[in-house]
Amino acid sequence: MGKIIGIDLGTTNSCVAVIDGGEPLVLPNSEGSRTTPSMVGFTEDNEQFVGQQAKRQAIINPERTIYDIKRLIGHKHNSPVVKRYAKTLPYNIVENTNGDAWVEVNGQAYSPQEISSMLLRKMKQTAEDYFGEEITEAVITVPAYFNDAQRSATKDAGKIAGLTVRRIINEPTAAALAYGFARSGDANIVVFDLGGGTFDVSVVQLRGGVFEVVSTSGDNHLGGEDFDRAVLEFLMQRFQDETGIDVSEDNMALQRLKEAAENAKCELSTLSETNINLPFLAVDESGPRHLSLSLSRSQLNDLCYDLVERLETPCMTALKDGGVDRSDIDDILLVGGMTRMPLVQEKVEEIFGKKPNKGVNPDEVVATGAAIQSGILGGEVREVILLDITPFSLGIRVTGDRFSPIIQKNTPIPTMETKVFTTTEANQDMVTVTVLQGEHQVASRNKLLGMFNLTGIKPAPAGSPRIEVTFEIDTDGIVNVSARDLRTNVSQSITVEGHSGLSDEELQRAIQRSKKR
């Protein structure tokens, strides 16, 4: 059996790790770095760069440098999320025929899955360079709050990259695996994962080699990129106040400001003040105009205050859903680069009443956990059992636009649950099963995963037929739904995995393009 690698496919950076000699090992890429910027760059001739090379060309070639692609995966072009991101992203976001958000470079449209596959291929190549053999299998991590479409889209990205995705694992769960690996004793831990694009928090119980996730919560629209944007908007406004020039439509200036904002944010994790100097940011009739200012940590904290406050509610929800008090928590594990920010660490201490653990590398711990999961699948790691959960409730729409949950959120997976429903009209020969995901009592306020018709029901008075609906979730969190008329035994089913956003034809086309690179 060949090696199975563990990949943290991050919004800002990606990382690959393996089990080597029974221990997890993070692998350096061809540039010698253990993390790779999650960026893909294109030249005018359609030559592609991944990682650091792409980041280097971002300022001079912003329209052809794709980043933050993880935030678009599984989203519709007309969604409020995509509209908000499009305002500050320099590249062109277009609508695919099915309504999904794709990106366009040099007149060619690419799905987020295909762009993500280029990052995964770089991780695959890193492992192949290390072992000197072809790698075909991987465990890939996703935010715990990724929905079914986003998980399926991530698996498609793996297929395009030439990888069989053996398991999709939640990022906080992977971090808990890394933390508890080769550690004895029982513990209740909180995994606080604030990365580049998403925020997850999970309560995990470690009991004699069993890792049980008891609850998870989060915010898929809160991450380091939002902190960068807060600083970027401040810098744009300051420049406009000083010069009267609005650079919001100047992609090159925006990219320079974004890079300056990110660097300032990182520097202020260790410094109390930093200088931002951007010469020749714009030109007007009086000549070149420059931006030069000092930014203090207290100013940064003010700019990011509202974002940091948003961290509290998911944490309290996770504690409540897990049935644990904050006094029951033995350790708080910080994951994701944003947890280096002092204000974030102070907020964590305020929420949980104790200082967080800084004993793991927040940029590498998720990939390390993915490698441990790959070791479990490959038989290299023994005596570890992982019990994960589904982060959302799953159910169907019933009369009156009500949501009837069949699997409750925080249910251990894999799992299968069944409920019996009936018809609402006399002589009804068909029912439409609308599969939903969410927590709202109003069905239309939840996320639609798919729908199908169960036909062939024998005519009968309303309320007489018995329709059995079964939901099944596998270890990747992929949902299968079936409906059966108990009287006629006629059944119909749907695998929601098919709703990843790519048709079979689009998937095969992307795979063929990938093979030519």
Side-chain angles (χ1 to χ4, degrees):
M1 183 184 290
K3 281 282 181 186
I4 308 172
I5 58 175
I7 299 175
D8 172 13
L9 180 61
T11 306
T12 308
N13 292 293
S14 295
C15 188
V16 58
V18 295
I19 294 294
D20 193 25
E23 294 293 326
L25 175 69
V26 176
L27 301 180
N29 60 26
S30 55
E31 293 83 30
S33 176
R34 289 155 69 94
T35 60
T36 300
S38 297
M39 302 177 81
V40 177
F42 296 78
T43 66
E44 286 184 26
D45 301 326
N46 256 350
E47 189 181 353
Q48 291 161 27
F49 304 110
V50 176
Q52 198 60 48
Q53 275 184 293
K55 191 169 186 176
R56 280 198 292 267
Q57 70 143 34
I59 288 176
I60 60 170
N61 197 7
E63 292 90 352
R64 296 190 186 93
T65 306
I66 312 300
Y67 58 89
D68 274 12
I69 197 66
K70 188 173 173 180
R71 291 192 130 182
L72 299 182
I73 204 164
H75 284 295
K76 296 297 180 185
H77 182 265
N78 63 359
S79 70
V81 173
V82 172
K83 287 178 180 175
R84 190 168 79 245
Y85 294 151
K87 289 179 182 176
T88 53
L89 292 172
Y91 52 84
N92 193 20
I93 301 174
V94 296
E95 185 172 5
N96 187 38
T97 51
N98 66 352
D100 281 1
W102 284 30
V103 300
E104 186 179 66
V105 185
N106 296 332
Q108 170 72 55
Y110 297 90
S111 66
Q113 292 93 315
E114 188 168 0
I115 298 294
S116 298
S117 77
M118 298 172 193
L119 301 169
L120 291 173
R121 188 169 278 279
K122 170 81 170 177
M123 300 296 98
K124 179 179 186 285
Q125 187 63 53
T126 295
E128 288 175 344
D129 289 346
Y130 181 82
F131 287 109
E133 62 183 65
E134 187 182 9
I135 302 292
T136 59
E137 296 185 309
V139 170
I140 302 176
T141 64
V142 296
Y145 246 48
F146 252 26
N147 62 38
D148 194 82
Q150 291 167 309
R151 291 169 189 269
S152 295
T154 303
K155 291 189 88 169
D156 278 353
K159 286 179 193 171
I160 297 167
L163 289 167
T164 300
V165 182
R166 290 285 302 272
R167 181 72 56 86
I168 295 286
I169 180 174
N170 292 336
E171 289 163 6
T173 307
L177 268 178
Y179 167 89
F181 185 68
R183 187 183 289 252
S184 59
D186 299 344
N188 294 327
I189 68 169
V190 165
V191 181
F192 183 97
D193 184 355
L194 183 59
T198 56
F199 170 54
D200 287 318
V201 58
S202 294
V203 178
V204 185
Q205 291 182 341
L206 275 59
R207 300 285 186 271
V210 176
F211 293 74
E212 182 177 4
V213 183
V214 294
S215 64
T216 193
S217 187
D219 186 338
N220 262 5
H221 311 301
L222 177 61
E225 296 290 339
D226 300 293
F227 288 75
D228 293 347
R229 189 172 289 115
V231 180
L232 180 148
E233 289 172 355
F234 166 77
L235 296 178
M236 279 173 53
Q237 191 60 54
R238 174 66 71 89
F239 187 69
Q240 188 169 357
D241 292 344
E242 291 178 356
T243 66
I245 301 173
D246 178 7
V247 295
S248 61
E249 300 299 319
D250 183 340
N251 283 336
M252 190 176 291
L254 272 179
Q255 195 61 37
R256 292 181 68 194
L257 284 166
K258 181 185 184 300
E259 194 169 281
E262 183 182 358
N263 290 339
K265 177 195 72 176
C266 294
E267 288 170 5
L268 289 172
S269 290
T270 53
L271 302 174
S272 59
E273 188 172 276
T274 187
N275 293 315
I276 296 172
N277 294 296
L278 294 173
F280 305 100
L281 190 62
V283 178
D284 62 11
E285 61 275 2
S286 63
R289 306 302 295 265
H290 319 297
L291 176 66
S292 180
L293 66 116
S294 294
L295 186 69
S296 68
R297 184 184 291 179
S298 61
Q299 283 178 292
L300 175 67
N301 290 349
D302 289 342
L303 293 171
C304 301
Y305 177 81
D306 290 344
L307 295 171
V308 173
E309 286 300 297
R310 282 169 58 187
L311 298 168
E312 183 164 355
T313 299
C315 292
M316 302 313 292
T317 300
L319 288 176
K320 181 182 176 184
D321 290 349
V324 296
D325 191 82
R326 68 179 196 168
S327 60
D328 299 326
I329 301 300
D330 300 302
D331 226 340
I332 302 134
L333 191 60
L334 296 182
V335 180
M338 272 312 304
T339 60
R340 289 190 171 93
M341 185 177 184
L343 185 65
V344 171
Q345 295 178 3
E346 290 166 17
K347 187 65 180 177
V348 171
E349 187 174 352
E350 176 193 320
I351 294 169
F352 295 104
K354 64 178 60 180
K355 287 187 179 296
N357 181 326
K358 300 179 188 177
V360 298
N361 185 321
D363 298 320
E364 298 177 0
V365 66
V366 170
T368 300
I372 293 167
Q373 175 63 59
S374 73
I376 295 170
L377 294 173
E380 298 167 281
V381 174
R382 303 191 184 280
E383 298 177 1
V384 173
I385 299 171
L386 175 61
L387 304 174
D388 214 336
I389 58 173
T390 175
F392 299 99
S393 295
L394 295 150
I396 65 170
R397 176 187 281 125
V398 294
T399 184
D401 195 27
R402 289 180 296 116
F403 177 55
S404 177
I406 294 177
I407 295 178
Q408 299 287 348
K409 73 171 183 175
N410 294 324
T411 298
I413 58 174
T415 188
M416 185 170 71
E417 296 288 343
T418 297
K419 265 190 180 181
V420 176
F421 298 88
T422 189
T423 54
T424 56
E425 297 175 17
N427 300 321
Q428 201 173 325
D429 63 353
M430 181 190 83
V431 293
T432 299
V433 180
T434 304
V435 183
L436 300 164
Q437 171 178 275
E439 310 309 321
H440 208 284
Q441 292 179 341
V442 177
S444 55
R445 299 286 294 275
N446 293 317
K447 182 170 180 63
L448 174 67
L449 294 184
M451 53 201 305
F452 62 93
N453 294 324
L454 176 64
T455 57
I457 301 169
K458 280 193 175 180
S464 176
R466 318 307 284 170
I467 310 297
E468 181 185 76
V469 178
T470 301
F471 273 61
E472 186 175 4
I473 311 180
D474 67 15
T475 49
D476 293 324
I478 305 296
V479 183
N480 287 274
V481 184
S482 62
R484 182 166 65 99
D485 180 358
L486 294 179
R487 191 171 163 201
T488 63
N489 222 25
V490 172
S491 66
Q492 183 60 262
S493 65
I494 182 174
T495 300
V496 183
E497 185 177 6
H499 291 256
S500 68
L502 289 183
S503 66
D504 289 342
E505 184 183 335
E506 287 169 336
L507 180 61
Q508 290 306 316
R509 199 160 54 233
I511 290 171
Q512 292 307 314
R513 268 205 300 251
S514 177
K515 287 177 179 177
K516 292 176 183 176
R517 290 186 197 113

